[in-house]
């Protein structure tokens, strides 16, 4: 069982926004835990600048698979607790046609759940950089890059399956009721301690196409991993080859 309360305060014609929340979890196996979060956004409207920051705590009980999956689960797992902080800045240029952003984040974990084991103390911190360009009303280009240092503080080694670098680039172009999109994703190399080997970095390209039959009904098609790149998220577990999906989406 869980209950939460969240609130938002706005000041000075929305130049300052404060946001906060608290949550209480009552877990049958792992007891009662209260977590909270607080954040702010401050706009300097004449400059087109936004400052933002957040601080919060977290609680996660082990999943059923992590506890009881045959020949793998660990019934002695402890719940995971965390504290996180992030701060950043965004800046508009050319009347908002170009938006650049940068931020720093830091997370500390106690009993981090990794596979079927707890890591007593762990930390992840790094930087995020973002850019969004709208050269025309129909075209939007965006990119994001993250570099982080995920560390198992108990053994002073990198956390398993955590890349140090990731990047995403996307483009969307609308022609009347048609929307065309392309996405590129890069994931850096990771170490899988369960297989005692390093997994190489990989890059994937996805394509998207949709058509609005009405304001509430859209038909769509998407191609995932269209370059048919062979890659693994976890050692020994294959991922899908190139695939195409199509469907109908309705909003009521």
């Amino acid at each position: 069982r869980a209950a939460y309360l969240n609130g938002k305060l706005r000041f000075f014609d929305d130049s300052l926004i404060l946001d906060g929340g608290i949550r209480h979890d009552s877990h049958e196996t792992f007891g009662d835990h209260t977590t909270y979060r607080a954040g702010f956004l401050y706009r300097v409207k004449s400059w087109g600048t936004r400052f933002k920051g957040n601080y919060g705590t977290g609680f996660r009980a082990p999943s059923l698979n992590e506890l009881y999956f045959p020949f793998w689960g660990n019934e002695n797992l402890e719940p995971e607790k965390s504290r996180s902080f992030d701060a950043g800045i965004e800046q508009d240029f050319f009347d908002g046609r170009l938006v650049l952003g940068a931020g720093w984040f830091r997370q500390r974990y106690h009993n981090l759940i990794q596979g079927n084991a707890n890591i007593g103390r762990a930390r992840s911190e790094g930087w995020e950089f973002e850019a969004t360009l709208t050269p025309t009303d129909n075209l939007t280009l965006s990119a994001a890059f993250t570099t982080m240092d995920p560390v198992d503080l108990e053994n002073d080694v990198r956390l398993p399956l955590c890349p140090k670098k990731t990047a995403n680039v996307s483009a969307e172009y609308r022609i009347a009721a048609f929307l065309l999109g392309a996405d590129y994703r890069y994931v850096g190399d990771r170490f899988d301690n369960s297989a005692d080997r390093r997994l190489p970095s990989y890059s994937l390209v996805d394509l998207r196409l949709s058509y609005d039959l009405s304001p509430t009904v859209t038909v769509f098609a998407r191609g995932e991993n269209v370059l048919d790149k062979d890659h693994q998220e976890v050692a020994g577990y294959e991922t899908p080859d190139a695939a195409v999906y199509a469907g109908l989406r309705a909003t009521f």
Side-chain angles (χ1 to χ4, degrees):
R1 296 183 297 275
Y4 71 91
L5 177 68
N6 196 85
K8 183 175 292 188
L9 298 173
R10 301 172 182 268
F11 301 95
F12 314 120
D13 192 25
D14 285 350
S15 292
L16 175 63
I17 299 176
L18 303 178
D19 184 77
I22 187 169
R23 174 185 173 113
H24 182 78
D25 287 86
S26 180
H27 196 283
E28 183 179 37
T29 303
F30 298 106
D32 293 341
H33 297 271
T34 300
T35 54
Y36 60 88
R37 180 185 55 82
F40 79 93
L41 173 68
Y42 181 69
R43 296 186 178 102
V44 184
K45 295 182 179 180
S46 59
W47 298 353
T49 307
R50 294 171 295 280
F51 300 93
K52 56 185 178 179
N54 296 279
Y55 178 80
T57 60
F59 160 79
R60 184 174 83 85
S63 68
L64 291 177
N65 275 345
E66 290 165 338
L67 289 168
Y68 305 118
F69 194 84
F71 310 110
W72 182 83
N74 179 3
E75 296 184 27
N76 296 316
L77 283 175
E78 294 291 331
E80 176 183 300
K81 299 179 182 179
S82 63
R83 295 180 180 272
S84 62
F85 173 79
D86 66 80
I89 183 174
E90 292 181 350
Q91 179 65 52
D92 294 344
F93 298 93
F94 311 115
D95 294 326
R97 290 287 186 178
L98 174 64
V99 180
L100 300 180
W104 174 81
F105 62 89
R106 181 183 178 94
Q107 297 170 311
R108 294 292 297 260
Y109 299 93
H110 177 65
N111 286 333
L112 175 68
I113 300 172
Q114 288 280 293
N116 61 354
N118 285 115
I119 296 176
R121 295 182 304 119
R123 183 206 69 214
S124 179
E125 64 178 330
W127 290 86
E128 295 177 324
F129 303 93
E130 298 178 331
T132 302
L133 175 65
T134 311
T136 70
D137 291 339
N138 296 331
L139 177 63
T140 301
L141 307 173
S142 61
F145 174 75
T146 301
T147 176
M148 64 178 178
D149 184 26
V151 180
D152 174 350
L153 296 174
E154 296 288 324
N155 302 297
D156 195 27
V157 296
R158 195 205 303 190
L159 286 172
L161 298 177
C162 291
K164 283 192 171 184
K165 294 180 174 61
T166 59
N168 294 277
V169 180
S170 67
E172 283 192 348
Y173 187 71
R174 179 170 287 279
I175 306 174
F178 286 96
L179 180 64
L180 296 87
D183 302 292
Y184 167 83
R185 178 163 58 104
Y186 168 82
V187 177
D189 66 285
R190 293 133 291 130
F191 188 81
D192 190 335
N193 57 355
S194 65
D196 195 27
R197 67 182 176 92
R198 189 171 300 279
L199 302 178
S201 61
Y202 63 87
S203 299
L204 301 179
V205 176
D206 301 333
L207 299 177
R208 298 174 277 118
L209 172 64
S210 65
Y211 178 75
D212 296 331
L213 295 175
S214 74
T216 60
V217 180
T218 301
V219 293
F220 65 88
R222 72 178 187 272
E224 296 184 354
N225 189 17
V226 295
L227 300 181
D228 199 22
K229 292 290 186 179
D230 186 25
H231 65 288
Q232 290 186 347
E233 299 283 354
V234 179
Y237 290 83
E238 294 298 327
T239 50
D241 298 327
V244 176
Y245 304 87
L248 179 72
R249 182 169 55 247
T251 304
F252 302 95

